[in-house]
Amino acid sequence: MMDLTSPAVVRELIGRYGFSFTKSLGQNFITSRSALERMLDAAALDAETGVLEIGPGIGTLTRELSMRAERVAAVEIDRALLPLLSETLADCGNVQVYHADALALDLPAFCRDALPCRKLAVCANLPYYITTPAVTMLLESGLFSQITLLLQREAVERLCALPGEDSYCAVSAIVRLFAKPQLLFRVPADCFIPRPKVASAVLSLSPLDRGLSSEQKDRTLAVLRAAFAQRRKTLLNTLSAAELCDREQALSAIRACGFRDDVRGEALRAEDFILLAAALSE
Ligand code: SAM
C-alpha cells in the first residue's frame, strides 16, 4: 500500500484526482510518520475501541486507526475527498466514511449506530476553525474514554490554560470541567502539506467523572459561560446581567463559596464553577 506520509505520494494522489486544497476547511495533511505514531500511542486504542475521526482528509491517520481499533467512523465534510478515500481505504474493512459536517452530528445517535463498541475514543487532526465547538461538543457528550487531538499549538495552550494565565478563557474552564488536558508534544509546521503558518501540538484529553447529573452539568456550564461573557466585569455583575439570578442571590452564592465580592470569572477554576452553580441553586 502507498505510504500516505510521503509528500511525493500525497502530491501524486491529489494530482491524479485533481484535488485542490480548501484553506477555509483547515486542510493540512500530516506527512510525519513519527508524529503520527506518537499520537497513536497516546490514543491508547485496542481491539474493543470504536474511534471517531473528524476530517480524515486523504486517510493517512484513518489507515493507522483502522489497524489499532475495532472500528473507525471517519466524518469528512469535503465531498471532493470521498473518491480519494475510497482508494486509500479500500483495504480497511472496519472503516466507514461519512460525508457530513462533524459539528452537525447528533453524537449519541451517531455513535450508537456507527460505533457499536465497548469503548469509544476520538483521534483526529482537527481543522483549526472548529477547535472550540468540536472540543466542547466531544467533552459535553460524555461518550469518550480518551480524546487525542492534533491542533494548532496556540489552541492547545489555550485549552490547557489555568486561571491567572493570559490565554485562560471559557473553553479552558470547560475542558477542566470534563477532563484532564495535557500537551503531549509539538509538531512543526513542515510536517504538513500544505505547510500551515503556525506550529501544531498533540493534546490528550482524559475525561474525568465528576459525578455530576446532567442538570448539574448544564447549570455549571450556564454559570461558567455567563461568567466569561464579559470577562473584565466582576462575577457579581456578569451573573446578574445574565439573568441567571438576581444580584442578591449572586452575592450570597459568591460569599457562600468563600470568594471575594469583587471576584472575576476569569479567576475561577472549573471546580469553583461547580461550587458556584450549586450555591446558586440553593
Ligand atoms: N486527517 C487528515 C490528516 O491528518 O492528514 C486531514 C486533517 S485536515 C487538518 C482536516 C480535515 O477536516 C480536512 O480533510 C477537512 O476537509 C475536514 N473538515 C473540515 N471541516 C470539517 C467539518 N466541519 N466536519 C468534518 N470534516 C471537516
Side-chain angles (χ1 to χ4, degrees):
M1 179 63 205
M2 55 179 109
D3 177 8
L4 295 174
T5 59
S6 153
V9 169
V10 176
R11 287 198 191 95
E12 186 282 324
L13 184 71
I14 62 180
R16 188 152 44 82
Y17 281 90
F19 173 78
S20 47
F21 291 96
T22 303
K23 206 170 169 220
S24 61
L25 289 178
Q27 294 178 333
N28 301 98
F29 300 157
I30 183 93
T31 52
S32 163
R33 174 147 297 280
S34 65
L36 207 57
E37 276 171 8
R38 284 180 77 186
M39 181 173 172
L40 286 155
D41 288 345
L45 304 173
D46 60 31
E48 293 189 315
T49 306
V51 186
L52 168 66
E53 183 189 10
I54 296 175
I58 55 169
T60 317
L61 173 61
T62 325
R63 288 189 61 79
E64 304 295 326
L65 294 172
S66 156
M67 285 186 262
R68 302 189 190 211
E70 182 181 350
R71 281 176 193 237
V72 182
V75 180
E76 176 54 61
I77 200 169
D78 188 352
R79 186 186 295 279
L81 287 165
L82 303 183
L84 282 84
L85 287 166
S86 297
E87 175 179 333
T88 59
L89 303 175
D91 57 342
C92 300
N94 60 349
V95 175
Q96 182 73 44
V97 175
Y98 297 84
H99 177 225
D101 174 353
L103 293 182
L105 293 178
D106 171 350
L107 262 190
F110 178 79
C111 290
R112 200 173 45 242
D113 296 343
L115 296 168
C117 306
R118 215 172 64 79
K119 277 192 294 173
L120 295 180
V122 180
C123 190
N125 173 11
L126 273 195
Y128 69 93
Y129 79 99
I130 65 168
T131 303
T132 298
V135 166
T136 309
M137 169 179 101
L138 295 172
L139 286 173
E140 279 186 37
S141 78
L143 289 166
F144 305 101
S145 56
Q146 174 62 32
I147 300 172
T148 312
L149 301 172
L150 178 51
L151 302 169
Q152 285 192 346
R153 202 191 73 193
E154 270 179 28
V156 174
E157 284 165 0
R158 193 168 65 244
L159 296 173
C160 293
L162 286 166
E165 294 174 6
D166 285 348
S167 51
Y168 188 61
C169 58
V171 73
S172 334
I174 292 173
V175 161
R176 295 211 184 238
L177 197 56
F178 294 112
K180 179 174 171 283
Q182 200 185 352
L183 186 161
L184 295 181
F185 59 93
R186 292 168 213 281
V187 183
D190 58 12
C191 292
F192 301 90
I193 287 183
R195 190 180 193 280
K197 285 204 178 72
V198 295
S200 297
V202 173
L203 171 72
S204 161
L205 295 171
S206 305
L208 300 170
D209 183 6
R210 293 191 181 271
L212 300 178
S213 66
S214 67
E215 205 189 17
Q216 287 170 314
K217 214 160 75 175
D218 291 348
R219 210 179 313 122
T220 305
L221 281 168
V223 171
L224 188 159
R225 289 195 168 109
F228 279 97
Q230 294 165 291
R231 58 182 295 171
R232 296 290 156 213
K233 289 201 176 168
T234 64
L235 188 61
L236 182 57
N237 284 336
T238 51
L239 289 182
S240 331
E243 293 174 5
L244 285 167
C245 54
D246 61 32
R247 205 174 163 81
E248 214 173 295
Q249 287 168 315
L251 187 59
S252 79
I254 287 169
R255 288 183 176 164
C257 293
F259 307 141
R260 290 167 45 136
D261 289 1
D262 62 352
V263 71
R264 290 186 183 171
E266 64 188 13
L268 302 190
R269 300 161 306 155
E271 294 83 346
D272 297 325
F273 285 110
I274 297 174
L275 273 180
L276 184 62
L280 279 170
S281 64
E282 272 167 16

